[in-house]
């Protein structure tokens, strides 16, 4: 189990380490070309940023001036409570947008889970483009709806589900985000998963061991899990079954 979910210690000294390169991304010495008007419009205002593992993309309370998209790696949004406990709000994988906070300041901190490449879009310019390009306006609305739905589902999970149900819900959610591929790559650590599910690391370990014993899942490699019994996991996540 430890091979699947390694605990990654928080390296605070890495939080300020980042570098920027020009947009568009260079591939093979040549700029990536696109004929999609919306993509071209976003490329015209985007800045590519590279972050080391555990580096902060932005911190809670920072001015919310940009919206971000994950190109590679993964990002978590989180908040640390006064007593030191951490609650992870969400994980963002390649292709996901985050940081769409229409308040003046960010309500959460965003950190790279592993080395990540992120594109930042100035919010003011994004709003200007949205006024003339319906596709961009539709994208922003889709991002807002997706974020609201994710928050609602997360609240239900934290408030009503058992530990086993939470882990099953989490794994099925990752599968849905991976085009229903049952072979999952888990960039996040066991500590990340525990803080997202509102559990202790020990509880997550027990649940994973139980899932393996019942052949619901198998470990395919470091940070990789294969879902073996989708029916059982779905029944568990929905509260229709118990272990």
């Amino acid at each position: 189990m430890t091979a699947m979910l390694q605990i990654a210690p928080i390296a605070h000294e890495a939080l300020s380490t980042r570098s920027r390169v020009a947009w568009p991304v260079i591939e093979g010495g040549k700029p990536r070309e696109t004929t999609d008007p919306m993509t071209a419009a976003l490329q015209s205002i985007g800045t590519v940023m590279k972050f080391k593992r555990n580096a902060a993309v932005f911190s809670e309370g920072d001015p919310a001036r940009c919206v971000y998209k994950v190109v590679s790696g993964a990002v978590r949004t989180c908040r640390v409570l006064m007593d030191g406990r951490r609650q992870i709000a969400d994980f963002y994988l390649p292709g996901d947008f985050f940081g769409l906070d229409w308040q003046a300041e960010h309500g959460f901190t965003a950190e790279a889970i592993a080395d990540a490449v992120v594109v930042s879009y100035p919010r003011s310019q994004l709003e200007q483009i949205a006024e003339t390009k319906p596709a961009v306006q539709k994208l922003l609305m889709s991002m807002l709806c997706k974020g609201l739905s994710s928050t609602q589902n997360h609240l239900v999970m934290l408030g009503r589900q058992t530990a086993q149900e939470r882990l099953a819900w989490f794994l099925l959610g990752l599968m849905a985000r991976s085009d229903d591929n049952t072979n999952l790559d888990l960039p996040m650590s066991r500590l990340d998963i525990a803080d997202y599910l509102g559990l202790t690391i020990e509880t997550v370990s027990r649940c994973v061991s139980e899932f393996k014993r019942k052949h619901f899942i198998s470990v395919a490699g470091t940070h990789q899990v294969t879902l073996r019994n989708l029916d059982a996991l779905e029944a568990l996540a929905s509260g229709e079954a118990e272990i």
Side-chain angles (χ1 to χ4, degrees), residues 43-103:
Q43 284 185 354
S44 69
I45 64 170
T47 299
V48 176
M49 310 172 72
K50 292 183 177 181
F51 296 90
K52 297 294 186 180
R53 182 168 70 94
N54 293 323
V57 180
F58 55 78
S59 298
E60 180 183 353
D62 284 352
R65 298 194 180 103
C66 293
V67 177
Y68 304 85
K69 181 181 181 180
V70 180
V71 176
S72 65
V75 172
R76 61 180 173 247
T77 50
C78 60
R79 179 180 293 171
V80 178
L81 305 180
M82 293 296 293
D83 60 4
R85 289 177 297 167
R86 182 183 66 162
Q87 178 64 57
I88 291 181
D90 214 340
F91 297 111
Y92 299 91
L93 307 177
D96 289 343
F97 287 85
F98 66 98
L100 186 60
D101 193 332
W102 293 115
Q103 298 181 10

Side-chain angles (χ1 to χ4, degrees), residues 97 115 157 191 209-210 217 234 242:
F97 287 85
D115 290 356
M157 179 273 293
L191 177 61
S209 297
E210 187 68 11
I217 64 174
E234 289 171 354
E242 296 181 359

Side-chain angles (χ1 to χ4, degrees), residues 18 43 60 65 67 82 94 106 108 112 122 127 140 185-186 198 218 231-232 242:
R18 70 182 187 182
Q43 284 185 354
E60 180 183 353
R65 298 194 180 103
V67 177
M82 293 296 293
H106 287 296
F108 291 87
E127 292 171 345
L140 294 177
D185 292 320
L186 301 180
S218 63
D231 289 340
E242 296 181 359

Side-chain angles (χ1 to χ4, degrees), residues 100-191:
L100 186 60
D101 193 332
W102 293 115
Q103 298 181 10
E105 299 177 347
H106 287 296
F108 291 87
T109 294
E111 300 169 339
I113 296 174
D115 290 356
V117 176
V118 172
V119 182
S120 67
Y121 304 99
R123 196 173 73 178
S124 59
Q125 293 179 259
L126 199 59
E127 292 171 345
Q128 291 176 2
I129 293 176
E131 291 177 358
T132 59
K133 295 187 178 298
V136 176
Q137 190 176 64
K138 183 178 180 180
L139 172 65
L140 294 177
M141 182 59 67
S142 175
M143 292 162 58
L144 285 170
C145 293
K146 183 178 179 180
L148 177 60
S149 177
S150 177
T151 299
Q152 291 174 334
N153 290 333
H154 196 201
L155 287 173
V156 172
M157 179 273 293
L158 291 174
R160 289 297 180 183
Q161 291 185 315
T162 65
Q164 294 87 353
E165 290 169 350
R166 295 181 192 190
L167 183 59
W169 174 86
F170 172 71
L171 293 174
L172 291 171
L174 283 182
M175 185 190 74
R177 297 171 67 177
S178 303
D179 297 323
D180 292 329
N181 188 344
T182 56
N183 297 313
L184 304 180
D185 292 320
L186 301 180
M188 62 287 295
S189 68
R190 181 171 62 177
L191 177 61

